[in-house]
Amino acid sequence: MVPLCALVVATIGGCGGTPASTAQPAAPVPGVSPPGAAPPEAARKEQTAVDPVPEPNNTAPRCGQPVRAPAAGPLTLTGRFPATVAPGAPTVAGTVEVTSHAAVHGVGAPRAEVFLVVNGRVATEPMPQDAVGVRWDLAAGQSKKVPAEGMLTSCEPGGDRLTPGTYELYARVAVTPDDGAPVTAQGGPWPLELG
């Protein structure tokens, strides 16, 4: 029978619980940085990206980002909005006519999302919609009118009122079909003069 100490000596090079000075450090695990180490170069680039390219299905407007239209789909938007808005107005309101080029049956928001753009970049984000989704049943060639309203407050930190000037207004509608991936359509730009 081999004494227990002999087994320990063979494993860690010493007896009495003290490892031998010739013990090798554990091999690094690929993809895992040791504690306190700087993140890999690729991770640093991701964290500091100024204008990341969104995923194909992530077409939601992001503050300060260039306008990104969703891929062409079965819905077309036609907006009716005022050309000018009085100084100090909190919102801009209008209607959006959604025309379907194919049958669409699913659930969508009860109103269109509205956001403003200046110098090619998103200046306001759509208002949150607390309402429960409504049923959308459109045959090919059929249209549906929905209300649309957008905030005239900057999406930048602090949320100040937008400065007077010319903006571009966009509207978006998203419908989740009964069988398939969400369908997003975007219309615009329509000029808006903020007095």
Side-chain angles (χ1 to χ4, degrees):
M1 178 161 212
V2 179
L4 179 59
C5 187
L7 289 175
V8 173
V9 170
T11 305
I12 63 172
C15 194
T18 305
S21 59
T22 58
Q24 296 295 319
V29 178
V32 177
S33 299
E41 187 66 25
R44 282 199 299 274
K45 286 182 180 174
E46 284 183 1
Q47 293 168 355
T48 59
V50 175
D51 188 11
V53 177
E55 294 297 318
N57 292 331
N58 183 15
T59 56
R62 307 277 306 258
C63 191
Q65 297 293 310
V67 179
R68 299 191 191 278
L75 303 177
T76 301
L77 274 57
T78 305
R80 289 177 177 79
F81 296 92
T84 60
V85 177
T91 62
V92 58
T95 59
V96 169
E97 185 173 2
V98 183
T99 304
S100 181
H101 305 288
V104 173
H105 304 283
V107 176
R111 59 186 173 147
E113 299 178 331
V114 172
F115 63 98
L116 300 183
V117 171
V118 65
N119 297 324
R121 297 194 173 260
V122 175
T124 69
E125 291 180 344
M127 296 172 61
Q129 297 200 38
D130 296 331
V132 175
V134 297
R135 187 78 191 157
W136 283 63
D137 285 308
L138 295 175
Q142 190 176 6
S143 296
K144 175 184 177 99
K145 287 185 180 178
V146 293
E149 186 176 15
M151 297 290 294
L152 297 178
T153 304
S154 172
C155 58
E156 294 293 338
D160 296 328
R161 287 190 187 275
L162 294 175
T163 57
T166 303
Y167 292 82
E168 293 180 327
L169 186 148
Y170 288 81
R172 294 177 76 247
V173 167
V175 178
T176 302
D178 297 335
D179 55 350
V183 174
T184 302
Q186 183 168 291
W190 298 289
L192 178 71
E193 189 69 29
L194 186 57

